[in-house]
Amino acid sequence: RAKLSGLSWVPTGEGAPSPVSEAFDPAMASSAGVDRFSVVRRKSAKLGALISRMGLADAAVWRVLLRCGLKSELTWEHVVEEAESIASDGDVERASALLAHLNARHASLVGCRASALERLRSRPWLPSLAPSSAAEPSAAASQLRSASEVFPFVAHGVVWAAAP
């Protein structure tokens, strides 16, 4: 298992072979809703045609690959990588999808959460509205900003809340 998971042999969307432990199961990623993210598309295992050509039982092959570390969910490190891609592309829609995904699954993500959150704080990946004096409750996000821009008081160690 260790030898198989460490070798770079799985073809992915990136073109170059990848270790099993760095690739995504395309079917499970789709059902988990993470296939919309560029990091997953780039690292998605492209083995379906090969498995079929070889006449192997595809369910058994995918099960073995999952046991060897094939991914089905984002890690905190993938979230940072996706946020960097979002910031680079300026993709507000994908930023909203990543934020919704984090809102729903932050507690179950594996990886180094503290370091990921620190890195995410300074990157402009959060969907936000352009500053305006007129409040429009149905306005859609139109730009990307960093957490320190959206929540400037946090950068100064100030935490506050308001009661209704």
Side-chain angles (χ1 to χ4, degrees):
R1 176 179 166 182
K3 285 183 181 181
L4 183 61
S5 64
L7 293 173
S8 294
W9 66 273
V10 177
T12 64
E14 290 182 311
S18 170
V20 174
S21 59
E22 293 178 18
F24 281 90
D25 177 342
M28 291 188 79
S30 177
S31 66
V34 297
D35 58 337
R36 63 183 162 231
F37 301 124
S38 63
V39 66
V40 175
R41 287 192 306 271
R42 283 192 323 270
K43 295 180 179 199
S44 189
K46 307 289 184 199
L47 290 169
L50 178 64
I51 292 169
S52 295
R53 270 198 320 268
M54 294 179 73
L56 300 172
D58 61 341
V61 172
W62 290 110
R63 209 171 28 255
V64 168
L65 293 173
L66 285 167
R67 287 185 174 232
C68 290
L70 190 67
K71 306 255 185 268
S72 60
E73 175 61 83
L74 295 176
T75 64
W76 280 106
E77 290 74 21
H78 292 128
V79 169
V80 170
E81 189 175 339
E82 185 65 21
E84 289 171 345
S85 173
I86 287 167
S88 174
D89 298 344
D91 190 336
V92 175
E93 186 176 318
R94 211 166 79 231
S96 296
L98 182 59
L99 192 58
H101 185 78
L102 281 174
N103 189 44
R105 300 192 179 182
H106 64 90
S108 64
L109 297 182
V110 297
C112 189
R113 179 182 179 179
S115 119
L117 291 175
E118 186 63 35
R119 291 176 63 194
L120 288 171
R121 183 177 299 154
S122 63
R123 290 177 176 59
W125 70 276
L126 290 173
S128 65
L129 299 174
S132 170
S133 60
E136 295 181 40
S138 62
S142 59
Q143 64 183 20
L144 299 172
R145 298 178 74 189
S146 69
S148 54
E149 290 175 302
V150 175
F151 306 107
F153 298 108
V154 174
H156 300 291
V158 177
V159 178
W160 58 275

